[in-house]
Amino acid sequence: MAHIDRRKFLALTGTLAAGAALAACSSPGSSSSGEAASGDASTINFWSNHPGKSQAFEQELIARFQAENPDLTVNLIDGGKNYEEVSQKFNAALSGNDVPDVVVLSDVWWFNYALTGAIEPLDGHFEAAGVDSSDYVDSLLADYNWNGNHWALPYARSTPLFYYNKAVWAQAGLPDRGPATWQEFDEWGPRIQAVVGGGKLAHGWGNAVDYLGWTFEGPIWTFGGAYSDGFDLKFDDEKTIAAGQFLKDMIHTKKYAAVSSDIANDFGAGIIASTIASTGDLSTITQNASFEFGTAFLPSADGQPGCPTGGAGLAIPSKISEERKVNALKFIDFVTNGANTAYFSQNTGYMPVRKSAQEDPSEIAFLDANPNARTAVDQLAKTRSQDYARVFVPGGDKIIGTGLEQIALQNADVATAFAGVQEQLQQIIDRQITPNLPS
């Protein structure tokens, strides 16, 4: 398949067939009827999964907003335990009029709703809501750009980090840092395993539910492979297969790693000596770990970035009234302003999404006192946009994660498992995406 430039693809004005919107879900509704959903414009319903266990911090942000906007009321509504459940609930709501004013959408969900017109292009409302989009971190804001508009604004944005147990590292005679490359870590793994002993492991990977397709994307790149180049799938590339073989060997041959169903808690409990987890897990790990730990950039190789961005933004349904849209955007702008994104970042581990946050005195002091949190901010310049196969192909993340689980949990042949992943993704691309690409 010919390579499709990301900017050209994102400039498409056509929409995908309804079935492309959500794999295994009913097709999202849209505002094409022109009929606005009912709702009180003075009440903002905010649907969130409370990323990074942030419910209390979201409530604090809401209290700050209402103190400055006493004519507006914000209801924090539990949209589900993770991004997938929020998206499913939002998708179901689109068939009726009971939709939120603001909804959390992750990196793998917003684009589907933009394509179907279910969420609002925001730029036309910036002036009315008082939004200065230039204050958002450029790369994070650009992630939501399509067809000349931004369809969400950055909120709980993250990268994976390498977390390691400093005491174990010292016992193994390792330098106090993360591995420079995955090949170096492969040398360290058996030494770490000898220190932690039976019942524990040198390294833990998250499962498919814990976004294995995201955390293993960086290692794939450092081996010279990829999930895709545009929509040209690369699971049959020998370098991609080599990365998958590395995953298999560290688990089944060298036996110093495994898949965990809860990497943040397992690391905090000392069951695994290192892991790749979100910056959003930093606060939880800091609270739970009884030992000193460090964070580091993900390993890279020969100038190849080994870390993708991720996380979620805040979007507004297109079918609510214009007044509701403006009030919703005022809320989004407020909770992500310099001071508030600094507060949210300091308490959750997510990245501050505004440039002005870097000048906030509390943020400067916090990063000076918390080098583990600084890692994510410093690593941002060395990240890479995610492959289409994971974020633009409906259901891609789950398909990729399940394929990696087959290798990690079932000791499946790498080439065979990846061939199955490629076949599933190619069918979706051929049926739902290729017919809508420009000739």
Side-chain angles (χ1 to χ4, degrees):
M1 181 180 294
H3 171 69
I4 303 295
D5 180 79
R6 178 184 180 93
R7 291 186 180 272
K8 290 181 180 178
F9 177 75
L10 292 180
L12 287 174
T13 57
T15 58
L16 295 183
L22 286 174
C25 292
S26 59
S27 60
S30 72
S31 58
S32 59
S33 66
E35 181 181 349
S38 59
D40 180 1
S42 65
T43 299
I44 299 169
N45 290 318
F46 173 28
W47 286 12
S48 178
N49 63 303
H50 323 300
K53 299 183 179 179
S54 59
Q55 185 170 1
F57 312 122
E58 289 177 327
Q59 290 170 335
E60 169 61 23
L61 294 177
I62 289 170
R64 294 180 182 184
F65 176 77
Q66 291 184 152
E68 293 196 16
N69 299 272
D71 56 330
L72 297 175
T73 300
V74 180
N75 296 322
L76 179 59
I77 298 171
D78 192 345
K81 65 182 180 182
N82 54 35
Y83 296 137
E84 286 70 29
E85 289 191 0
V86 174
S87 185
Q88 289 166 10
K89 181 177 180 178
F90 180 54
N91 181 64
L94 289 170
S95 61
N97 287 328
D98 187 17
V99 294
D101 297 86
V102 177
V103 60
V104 171
L105 293 177
S106 80
D107 52 354
V108 302
W109 289 116
W110 74 266
F111 186 58
N112 296 308
Y113 292 113
L115 282 171
T116 58
I119 56 175
E120 179 76 3
L122 301 179
D123 299 63
H125 303 289
F126 283 168
E127 184 176 356
V131 176
D132 176 10
S133 61
S134 67
D135 188 39
Y136 284 96
V137 174
D138 294 336
S139 60
L140 300 181
L141 180 65
D143 282 340
Y144 304 104
N145 186 30
W146 171 65
N147 196 24
N149 280 289
H150 296 89
W151 300 78
L153 289 175
Y155 175 54
R157 295 304 307 273
S158 61
T159 63
L161 291 177
F162 187 91
Y163 293 78
Y164 64 99
N165 185 318
K166 289 195 171 192
V168 172
W169 250 235
Q171 287 179 269
L174 300 176
D176 185 10
R177 61 171 175 83
T181 65
W182 284 109
Q183 288 73 19
E184 181 176 51
F185 187 66
D186 201 33
E187 297 174 359
W188 292 1
R191 294 168 59 183
I192 300 169
Q193 189 60 46
V195 168
V196 298
K200 298 181 179 180
L201 287 166
H203 190 76
W205 293 98
N207 58 14
V209 175
D210 218 0
Y211 308 115
L212 179 57
W214 181 53
T215 56
F216 201 70
E217 192 168 24
I220 291 276
W221 293 338
T222 67
F223 276 75
Y227 292 152
S228 63
D229 179 7
F231 283 111
D232 184 9
L233 298 176
K234 295 295 182 182
F235 290 91
D236 58 354
D237 185 288
E238 63 180 10
K239 294 178 180 178
T240 305
I241 293 174
Q245 188 64 46
F246 168 75
L247 176 66
K248 180 175 180 175
D249 289 345
M250 70 191 306
I251 293 174
H252 297 288
T253 302
K254 299 183 180 181
K255 301 183 184 302
Y256 66 83
V259 164
S260 162
S261 60
D262 194 340
I263 49 175
N265 283 332
D266 284 351
F267 178 76
I271 297 172
I272 53 179
S274 64
T275 192
I276 304 297
S278 169
T279 58
D281 291 313
L282 181 58
S283 61
T284 299
I285 291 174
T286 301
Q287 292 170 7
N288 294 343
S290 59
F291 52 86
E292 186 179 3
F293 69 91
T295 60
F297 290 7
L298 266 62
S300 58
D302 299 327
Q304 291 278 356
C307 183
T309 56
L314 298 178
I316 297 172
S318 59
K319 67 192 303 180
I320 64 176
S321 70
E322 294 301 300
E323 187 178 3
R324 287 178 66 185
K325 290 172 186 175
V326 171
N327 287 339
L329 190 53
K330 287 179 180 178
F331 173 71
I332 294 173
D333 179 60
F334 181 87
V335 298
T336 62
N337 69 25
N340 287 329
T341 191
Y343 166 81
F344 191 76
S345 174
Q346 291 163 25
N347 284 283
T348 62
Y350 286 106
M351 292 183 290
V353 301
R354 296 285 192 113
K355 298 171 186 174
S356 56
Q358 299 174 16
E359 302 169 0
D360 185 275
S362 70
E363 182 70 3
I364 294 171
F366 178 80
L367 293 179
D368 286 344
N370 295 275
N372 282 337
R374 183 181 293 280
T375 304
V377 176
D378 292 344
Q379 184 178 228
L380 183 58
K382 299 179 181 296
T383 57
R384 170 174 159 180
S385 295
Q386 295 192 59
D387 294 341
Y388 287 14
R390 179 174 185 266
V391 292
F392 287 168
V393 177
D397 175 59
K398 182 177 181 180
I399 293 170
I400 294 169
T402 299
L404 290 168
E405 273 194 344
Q406 291 172 352
I407 296 166
L409 297 176
Q410 302 170 22
N411 199 18
D413 176 74
V414 176
T416 302
F418 279 177
V421 170
Q422 176 136 329
E423 181 180 5
Q424 293 178 72
L425 295 176
Q426 192 65 59
Q427 288 179 0
I428 298 171
I429 292 170
D430 290 345
R431 295 172 182 174
Q432 302 178 8
I433 296 176
T434 301
N436 296 279
L437 294 176
S439 59

